[in-house]
Amino acid sequence: KEISRLSHLERRPRRPGRKEVHIGLGRIKYTMKLGKNILIISSFIVYGLWLMGSPAQAAERFFEIKAKKFSYTPHIIKVNRGDTVKIRLLSEDVHHGFFVDGYGIKTSAHPGMEGSLKFIADKPGRYTFRCSVTCGEFHPYMVGYLVVGPNSRFWLFAAIVLVIGIGSIITLNRVKKTNG
């Protein structure tokens, strides 16, 4: 019954200005209206703009970094683009500094005291952070890395829109072939 009912839909005359797509999968045929595709695409665009629109949705990341004997612990910090990064620097032996190349921000900490800084990671890439206070013989080798990755929500949205866009193009091409 299902197959014959769908076949009947395929045979009925089309109204002018109404575009339909007929997709055959084996013995089953589907009829799909193009208006649904436009509705789906616009829904994803609105959802994506909602995801990316509000800066308040960016995460706030806190790191406690310990400086001791010419090294930082942790020495690699990973965040996403748009995150607010808060760093608390603790020195365990002598006066140490903390400077992030590419962002131009710095702080320092004496033993028993802490330094802090806050910034928005708005530039994707890998940035070196280093000691900004001469702290001893191996001071030039006291480095770490700030890795600012892409905003994963944006790329997920972009991939979904790309897939839907390609599907819509394929659908429109099938309509053109069907209408001649």
Side-chain angles (χ1 to χ4, degrees):
K1 290 183 180 182
E2 184 72 21
I3 294 173
S4 63
R5 185 165 46 101
L6 290 171
S7 298
H8 171 72
L9 286 174
E10 198 171 282
R11 279 189 243 124
R12 83 177 166 197
R14 292 190 189 143
R15 288 186 256 162
R18 185 173 201 152
K19 295 184 179 180
E20 295 179 344
V21 179
H22 303 285
I23 303 170
L25 298 172
R27 296 184 62 190
I28 301 174
K29 305 212 184 268
Y30 296 96
T31 302
M32 178 172 50
K33 295 179 178 71
L34 287 179
K36 289 182 182 178
N37 281 347
I38 293 170
L39 179 65
I40 291 170
I41 291 170
S42 61
S43 298
F44 275 106
I45 290 172
V46 168
Y47 178 67
L49 292 174
W50 175 76
L51 277 179
M52 296 181 307
S54 174
Q57 291 180 354
E60 190 168 288
R61 307 286 307 274
F62 175 77
F63 297 94
E64 184 175 280
I65 298 179
K66 295 179 181 175
K68 182 180 179 183
K69 291 190 180 178
F70 317 113
S71 67
Y72 291 108
T73 306
H75 70 282
I76 297 176
I77 300 172
K78 292 183 180 180
V79 297
N80 289 327
R81 183 177 184 185
D83 288 351
T84 300
V85 181
K86 290 183 177 182
I87 294 176
R88 187 170 118 190
L89 180 67
L90 301 172
S91 175
E92 296 184 347
D93 51 8
V94 297
H95 184 204
H96 288 289
F98 185 88
F99 177 81
V100 182
D101 292 336
Y103 283 90
I105 53 174
K106 68 178 179 176
T107 188
S108 65
H110 290 278
M113 299 176 66
E114 64 181 49
S116 63
L117 57 90
K118 178 180 174 181
F119 66 98
I120 295 175
D122 57 353
K123 302 176 216 170
R126 182 176 179 225
Y127 300 93
T128 303
F129 58 82
R130 55 191 167 84
C131 187
S132 58
V133 176
T134 304
C135 56
E137 184 179 338
F138 294 105
H139 161 75
Y141 303 104
M142 188 171 175
V143 295
Y145 300 99
L146 169 69
V147 179
V148 182
N151 188 335
S152 56
R153 291 180 299 174
F154 170 76
W155 290 112
L156 177 64
F157 166 71
I160 290 170
V161 169
L162 179 67
V163 168
I164 290 174
I166 290 172
S168 297
I169 291 170
I170 291 169
T171 303
L172 289 173
N173 286 336
R174 288 186 181 176
V175 167
K176 288 179 183 176
K177 288 179 184 177
T178 308
N179 291 339

